[in-house]
Amino acid sequence: MRRRTFIAALGGAVAWPLVARAQQPAMPVIGRIYMGAASQPDRNRAAFLRGLNEMGFYVGQNVSFEYRTADGQADRLPALIADLVQRKVDLIFGTAAVALAAKEATKTIPIVFVTTADPVSIGLVASFNHPGGNVTGVLLRAGAEATAKLIELVHELLPATTTVGMLNNPNFLDTVADTIAVQSAINFLGLIVQATKEADLEPAITKLVQAQVGALLIGDNLFFSSLRDRIARLAMRSTLPILARPSFGEDGALASYGASEFDGIRQGEIYMGRILKGEKPADLPVLLPTKFQLVINLKTAKELGVSVPPSLLARADEVIE
């Protein structure tokens, strides 16, 4: 009897840790939908991990991901969001288009966005200071000021230019906002061409070259950003200068200006960490950009035969040689 009692007690002692482990809280899951091209890696993952790490979250240790790619196609979002909701993720992260689709699908799962589109005017949040509901995030743009700066750069670097073209993706609210800002800021916009998939890029840029525009402005969205090296190669082949947001600075743009995309995503991840720790999106005001970058690419300038004024170089935050 004593031996049987001992064995029974031993069995209980062995089983107890297994029960304890089973009762531990589940690891939170973040659903992330990437709107960039499926053929290209997500270059912002470093910022994504950095912000989470600052909040004490480490992938595989105390947070995990359900990762999806929309390949620039907004019509894929409802199905991707529905899958994440069905899997009961703890938070959804993405662009304005992702956030809007997620907001339609769920009123309870927190949503964090990083976008260049005005979140109030497109109906994502009630106001910047009091978002309300289950959505908050980071606004990367400085509105018409950033666009006006790009136009100013066209005048400084390419004084003979009388018309510019713009590459647009109507699937992105960010790009639509950019296009409106460009149209209101300048009177020499020559042609807007659309590209909604990677195969559209070459014919779109060929059309701009045939229209003899003097410079190319890139609509601000993750799809174009993910393909920026290919866009730059196509433009350089026809000696067409690119002026865009900072993400294009190292990939061939003659000049770039705007809010730091890397820092914006990092701030978005910090918000995600705060929400996972218990704060509510409704109590977290939409963050505005605080860090802006002017990047001049002297290597590209040399290839294009463009002379960069010393005064402009002195103002640049970064000069690529």
Side-chain angles (χ1 to χ4, degrees):
M1 292 292 294
R2 286 196 299 270
R3 184 171 180 269
R4 290 178 180 175
T5 303
F6 172 76
I7 291 173
L10 180 61
V14 171
W16 181 83
L18 297 177
V19 173
R21 282 197 294 271
Q23 291 176 344
Q24 287 179 352
M27 186 183 297
V29 179
I30 297 171
R32 186 177 189 196
I33 298 181
Y34 175 55
M35 287 298 291
S39 62
Q40 301 296 319
D42 183 357
R43 300 185 184 187
N44 292 316
R45 281 197 178 188
F48 192 86
L49 297 177
R50 179 181 171 186
L52 284 172
N53 293 166
E54 288 181 33
M55 293 302 297
F57 289 97
Y58 297 87
V59 179
Q61 295 182 24
N62 57 357
V63 70
S64 62
F65 292 93
E66 286 287 341
Y67 197 83
R68 305 288 184 272
T69 300
D71 199 23
Q73 304 303 305
D75 58 358
R76 296 182 183 179
L77 290 176
L80 294 174
I81 294 292
D83 180 51
L84 292 177
V85 172
Q86 185 178 13
R87 290 175 182 269
K88 298 181 179 180
V89 297
D90 296 276
L91 190 148
I92 295 174
F93 174 83
T95 63
V98 171
L100 278 175
K103 185 179 179 181
E104 286 292 318
T106 176
K107 303 301 180 185
T108 57
I109 298 175
I111 301 163
V112 176
F113 61 80
V114 175
T115 183
T116 58
D118 182 347
V120 176
S121 64
I122 63 175
L124 263 181
V125 297
S127 70
F128 283 87
N129 290 331
H130 304 285
N134 60 325
V135 185
T136 190
V138 182
L139 175 64
L140 279 179
R141 70 182 297 116
E145 292 88 354
T147 301
K149 184 65 177 181
L150 290 177
I151 303 307
E152 179 185 319
L153 290 171
V154 172
H155 289 309
E156 288 190 75
L157 290 165
L158 307 163
T161 295
T162 57
T163 59
V164 300
M166 184 171 187
L167 191 60
N168 178 53
N169 185 338
N171 290 338
F172 280 76
L173 295 167
D174 313 64
T175 312
V176 172
D178 241 12
T179 305
I180 294 172
V182 169
Q183 290 173 324
S184 65
I186 61 176
N187 56 12
F188 68 136
L189 184 64
L191 181 65
I192 298 175
V193 294
Q194 295 185 355
T196 60
K197 56 185 182 297
E198 190 170 353
D200 294 338
L201 293 176
E202 187 165 2
I205 291 178
T206 298
K207 189 174 182 180
L208 289 169
V209 172
Q210 292 173 343
Q212 298 183 330
V213 299
L216 170 61
L217 300 181
I218 306 295
D220 195 11
N221 67 67
L222 286 177
F223 182 68
F224 289 151
S225 180
S226 68
L227 294 167
R228 54 188 180 264
D229 51 350
R230 175 161 170 72
I231 293 172
R233 286 197 303 271
L234 290 170
M236 287 298 294
R237 191 171 69 186
S238 301
T239 63
L240 180 62
I242 292 175
L243 292 99
R245 301 301 187 207
S247 59
F248 276 80
E250 296 183 359
D251 288 280
L254 175 60
S256 59
Y257 177 82
S260 170
E261 183 177 305
F262 187 94
D263 189 63
I265 290 176
R266 171 182 159 271
Q267 291 292 339
E269 306 319 317
I270 289 174
Y271 259 13
M272 288 169 56
R274 292 175 63 177
I275 291 170
L276 291 178
K277 288 185 175 182
E279 294 189 61
K280 297 180 180 179
D283 299 329
L284 298 174
V286 175
L287 295 175
L288 299 176
T290 58
K291 184 178 181 181
F292 294 85
Q293 297 173 308
L294 170 60
V295 181
I296 303 295
N297 194 317
L298 286 181
K299 180 181 178 181
T300 298
K302 184 177 180 180
E303 292 180 29
L304 293 171
V306 173
S307 178
V308 181
S311 59
L312 184 56
L313 288 176
R315 301 201 313 268
D317 299 290
E318 181 180 356
V319 177
I320 300 173
E321 299 180 315

